[in-house]
Each structure stands twice: as C-alpha cells, then as structure tokens.
Amino acid sequence: DAEITQSPRHKITETGRQVTLACHQTWNHNNMFWYRQDLGHGLRLIHYSYGVQDTNKGEVSDGYSVSRSNTEDLPLTLESAASSQTSVYFCASSEGAGGEAFFGQGTRLTVV
Amino acid sequence: GQNIDQPTEMTATEGAIVQINCTYQTSGFNGLFWYQQHAGEAPTFLSYNVLDGLEEKGRFSSFLSRSKGYSYLLLKELQMKDSASYLCAAMFSGGYNKLIFGAGTRLAVHP
C-alpha cells in the first residue's frame, strides 16, 4: 500500500544545530507540503513543492529550507535550530489541484 | 492574508447533531477541505467542496457557499469517537494551489 512516512518520530536537539526531518511518500504525488502545528495556531504551511526541483515558501518559512531532488522525498532542514521551532511537524502529499492531502504521522521536535 | 476562522471549541451530546462553521477570504479561493484529527495523530481527510451546496458522506456532511466565503461540517448521530479536532482548510490559487488551514475546532462529545 502507498504511504507517507516521516522520520524521526521524535527528536531533541540543541539550539544552533542543523536538523533535517525526512519525508518519504510512495503515492507518486507531485505535490508535497511541510506544516508545523502549535497549540492555538493549527497547521501552518512552511514550504511546499509541486514537483522535482520546485520549492516554494509558505507562511512561516524563515529558518527552514527544503529541496526536491526526486518525486518521493522532501526533506525539511532547520539551518540553526531555535527554541521557537519546538513543534510538531507534519509532511503531506497530494495529487493535482484538488487532490486530497495525505499526512505523515508527524515528527515531534524539541529544541533545548 | 488568507484568514480562515472557525470556533476554538465545541461540546455536544452523544447521539446529537453538531455544526462546525468555517469562514474564509474569497479572493483566490479554489476549494475547501475538512479534516479530522485525533489527539496525537495525523489529520485524516473527511470532505472536499469546490462547488456550492451540500456533500453528504454517511454521518458527515459538508456545505459550501463560495459567494459568502462560508462552509460548515455537519456531524449527525454523534459518537464518543467523534471527539477530535476538526480542521477547515481552504485552497487558494495564485500561480500555484496551496492548502491553508484554520486553527481547528476541538469537539468534545459527552455521554
């Protein structure tokens, strides 16, 4: 069965370190998204991609970057982790303009 | 901006009907999704509306009025397992389609 997986599921890191969260989907979807979810804010869009070599900034992109070298993967990098980036991160993928988005199980990141 | 507003919390009784409202800015609007999210889990798809009207799917229905920038999710015959957050998400165009979420409505179903 096709799926979307995130790794790691939990991570603790120190302020200033570079961190990369992995997202891998086997749906063969063109669209991939990264969100962060914080209490009171819901899901906020960090970056998104509509295909290989395409990346776009979302609502809260500062301090984050992504790259899309193939269809299956969209890793999210925190260049220099900050305590404000402590959050739950969700990756999602969808097909087409009105396609249902499928979400990974989330990564809980704590920056100390 | 592309503000999406929905109530923060709602409570309802098992077996009852509850309606969760969502409003959004109409500029660039291209479709509306509802997702369910249980605590500690990923969001899961419930419904998608792009045209005006009501979409019914079992106990859940979703309504859209594009001209009013308004949608609602209707849950009938509530069950305890329906206690969850319900996320309204609108798709906006502007070169690309992107999915923007509201803050979510936390629904508590009581016996």
Side-chain angles (χ1 to χ4, degrees), chain A residues 1 19 21-22 28 37 50 59 78 82 85 87 90 95 99 112:
Chain A
D1 285 345
V19 177
L21 309 182
N28 202 34
Q37 187 171 39
Y50 290 103
E59 306 165 271
L78 286 69
Q85 294 177 308
S87 186
F90 285 101
E95 185 56 44
V112 298

Side-chain angles (χ1 to χ4, degrees), chain A residues 1 8 10 18 26 30 33 37 39 42 55 64 68 72 95 106:
Chain A
D1 285 345
H10 302 270
Q18 184 180 78
T26 59
N30 286 323
F33 308 86
Q37 187 171 39
L39 206 60
T55 61
Y64 303 94
R68 187 89 181 269
E72 295 78 18
E95 185 56 44

Side-chain angles (χ1 to χ4, degrees), chain B residues 13-16 18 20 36-38 46 59-60 75-86 105-109:
Chain B
T13 305
E14 194 175 14
V18 70
I20 303 174
Q36 180 190 59
Q37 186 178 26
H38 285 99
L46 288 177
R59 294 189 299 114
F60 293 3
L75 292 76
K76 303 176 187 175
E77 301 169 16
L78 281 171
Q79 302 175 10
M80 298 297 290
K81 67 178 182 179
D82 297 329
S83 293
S85 288
Y86 291 86
T105 298
R106 195 160 52 249
L107 173 67
V109 180

Side-chain angles (χ1 to χ4, degrees), chain A residues 22-97:
Chain A
C23 176
H24 179 81
Q25 54 100 359
T26 59
W27 295 98
N28 202 34
H29 286 161
N30 286 323
N31 306 331
M32 294 186 74
F33 308 86
W34 273 105
Y35 293 89
R36 59 176 290 174
Q37 187 171 39
D38 306 286
L39 206 60
H41 289 281
L43 286 160
R44 290 183 290 175
L45 185 62
I46 305 172
H47 281 286
Y48 57 104
S49 167
Y50 290 103
V52 176
Q53 302 301 331
D54 174 76
T55 61
N56 306 279
K57 293 182 179 180
E59 306 165 271
V60 291
S61 60
D62 287 349
Y64 303 94
S65 63
V66 293
S67 61
R68 187 89 181 269
S69 59
N70 58 52
T71 300
E72 295 78 18
D73 299 289
L74 187 71
L76 177 72
T77 298
L78 286 69
E79 306 294 345
S80 176
S83 57
S84 60
Q85 294 177 308
T86 292
S87 186
V88 178
Y89 291 85
F90 285 101
C91 178
S93 72
S94 70
E95 185 56 44

Side-chain angles (χ1 to χ4, degrees), chain B residues 92-109:
Chain B
F92 295 96
S93 60
Y96 294 103
N97 287 295
K98 55 184 181 179
L99 197 59
I100 304 296
F101 282 81
T105 298
R106 195 160 52 249
L107 173 67
V109 180

